[in-house]
Structure formats: structure tokens, C-alpha cells
């Protein structure tokens, strides 16, 4: 962080942020989460509109069980970058953990509309629907995923999702 401080004294804000970010990532990799958060907060002091630092602080709060704080950081990041998949992911995960499934569903649907080819989003939607006990819609999402993998000729993954459908609604796969 000394290098970042030198950059700041020289008026090189972007270089300082880049340096803080590199060290924060290294701290995260070595399990030094508090130090990483301190650096992300330092980035926010230098650049209050840093989407990356805002999301990272939010993610750290979520991972440590401070869900309301994670949601607050996620909402701030959403204002700064309304199309960021990282922001959507933080908020979906936060709402899901907070059992605010309707809000999580609304966001994941927006993500699917933005990137319909992203199968993992449909998987997340299905798990949210299961949490809401909307079994029919969850099974339909899993069935759509199974069909997509089948069309890609990834029969192993297609079978995994077909089995999820059968686990929810046993007669559904046979009908398709």
C-alpha cells in the first residue's frame, strides 16, 4: 500500500486504485479479509463511485453474514452500474440469503433477459423458485436447462437436470 500512497501523492489516482486493488486481491487469496476490506474502503475514499470496490465490500459483508449491509452496497453499486452482472449477482445472492425471494427472482429474470445464453442464471432462478416452493416453475426451468444441454449434446449435464425435474415432479420428464 506504500506504492499506492506514493501514487496518490503524485496525483496518480488510477494507478493508486490499481495498486490497492492488487493488494486487496492478494489479501483475499490469503484469507486476510479484514485487510482486503480496508483496502477496498480506501479505494472508495479515493473514488467513491468505484463499482468494483463497492461490490467487493458488499460481497465481504455477505460472506460474513451482514446481509443488510451487503444489500445496501449492492443497491449503491446498482445505481452506479445498472447493467453489471457482478452487481446483479451480489444482490441476487444477498436477497436469496435474506429470504427475500421475490426481489431475488426479479433480478435474476433481468439477468436472464440480458444474457439468455447464460445457463447458470436459469439454474439460480430454479433454486430461487424452489425456495419459494413454486415447484412447477422450478421444474420447468430445470427442464429448459436439460433441453439446452441436450441440444448442445452434453448428455451428462442434460441428465443431471432431467433428474432434478424428476425429483420435483416425477411424471414431467416422461411427458417431454
Amino acid at each position: 500500500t506504500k506504492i499506492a500512497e506514493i501514487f496518490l501523492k503524485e496525483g496518480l489516482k488510477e494507478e493508486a486504485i490499481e495498486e490497492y486493488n492488487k493488494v486487496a486481491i492478494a489479501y483475499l487469496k490469503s484469507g486476510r479479509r479484514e485487510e482486503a476490506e480496508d483496502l477496498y474502503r480506501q479505494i472508495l475514499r479515493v473514488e467513491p463511485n468505484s463499482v468494483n470496490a463497492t461490490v467487493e465490500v458488499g460481497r465481504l459483508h455477505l460472506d460474513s453474514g451482514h446481509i443488510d449491509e451487503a444489500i445496501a452496497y449492492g443497491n449503491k453499486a446498482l445505481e452506479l452500474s445498472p447493467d453489471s452482472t457482478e452487481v446483479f449477482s451480489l444482490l441476487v445472492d444477498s436477497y436469496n440469503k435474506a429470504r427475500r425471494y421475490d426481489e431475488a427472482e426479479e433480478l435474476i429474470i433481468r439477468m436472464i433477459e440480458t444474457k439468455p445464453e447464460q445457463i447458470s442464471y436459469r439454474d439460480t432462478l430454479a433454486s430461487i423458485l424452489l425456495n419459494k416452493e413454486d415447484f412447477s416453475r422450478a421444474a420447468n426451468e430445470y427442464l429448459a436447462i436439460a433441453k439446452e444441454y441436450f441440444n448442445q449434446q452434453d448428455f451428462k449435464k442434460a441428465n443431471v437436470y432431467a433428474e432434478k425435474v424428476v425429483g420435483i415432479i416425477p411424471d414431467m420428464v416422461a411427458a417431454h
Side-chain angles (χ1 to χ4, degrees):
T1 60
K2 296 281 187 215
I3 295 170
E5 291 169 18
I6 292 168
F7 283 142
L8 282 177
K9 286 180 185 172
E10 295 297 320
L12 302 169
K13 189 166 93 170
E14 292 302 315
E15 290 81 355
I17 290 170
E18 187 177 325
E19 188 63 27
Y20 282 133
N21 201 38
K22 282 184 207 173
V23 177
I25 290 168
Y27 281 159
L28 285 175
K29 287 180 181 175
S30 65
R32 296 168 62 184
R33 301 169 59 75
E34 286 181 29
E35 291 98 328
E37 183 176 342
D38 289 343
L39 290 178
Y40 286 124
R41 289 183 184 281
Q42 182 61 31
I43 292 170
L44 290 172
R45 283 190 281 281
V46 173
E47 179 53 62
N49 292 333
S50 169
V51 175
N52 179 62
T54 303
V55 168
E56 291 300 332
V57 172
R59 182 67 59 191
L60 288 164
H61 278 290
L62 179 62
D63 292 345
S64 62
H66 300 111
I67 300 167
D68 290 338
E69 292 89 344
I71 291 171
Y73 276 95
N75 282 323
K76 179 184 178 199
L78 187 62
E79 289 174 20
L80 298 170
S81 183
D83 297 323
S84 166
T85 55
E86 291 80 16
V87 173
F88 278 122
S89 178
L90 169 62
L91 277 170
V92 167
D93 293 347
S94 299
Y95 286 140
N96 217 6
K97 212 169 201 180
R99 295 189 163 114
R100 292 167 59 177
Y101 302 126
D102 290 339
E103 290 155 294
E105 179 185 357
E106 181 183 318
L107 282 174
I108 198 69
I109 287 172
R110 282 176 53 191
M111 290 172 72
I112 290 168
E113 288 168 354
T114 304
K115 294 190 177 183
E117 73 283 357
Q118 198 68 17
I119 294 174
S120 65
Y121 295 168
R122 289 198 170 281
D123 191 24
T124 300
L125 175 58
S127 69
I128 291 167
L129 294 170
L130 284 176
N131 288 335
K132 291 177 68 171
E133 298 184 5
D134 191 341
F135 301 116
S136 177
R137 286 180 58 216
N140 278 319
E141 287 301 324
Y142 284 138
L143 185 60
I145 294 169
K147 286 179 179 178
E148 181 60 33
Y149 280 127
F150 185 83
N151 290 338
Q152 294 175 11
Q153 298 189 352
D154 188 337
F155 303 118
K156 188 174 181 180
K157 284 183 181 176
N159 191 52
V160 166
Y161 284 95
E163 287 177 6
K164 288 183 180 202
V165 174
V166 170
I168 299 168
I169 301 175
D171 298 331
M172 189 172 199
V173 172
H176 293 273

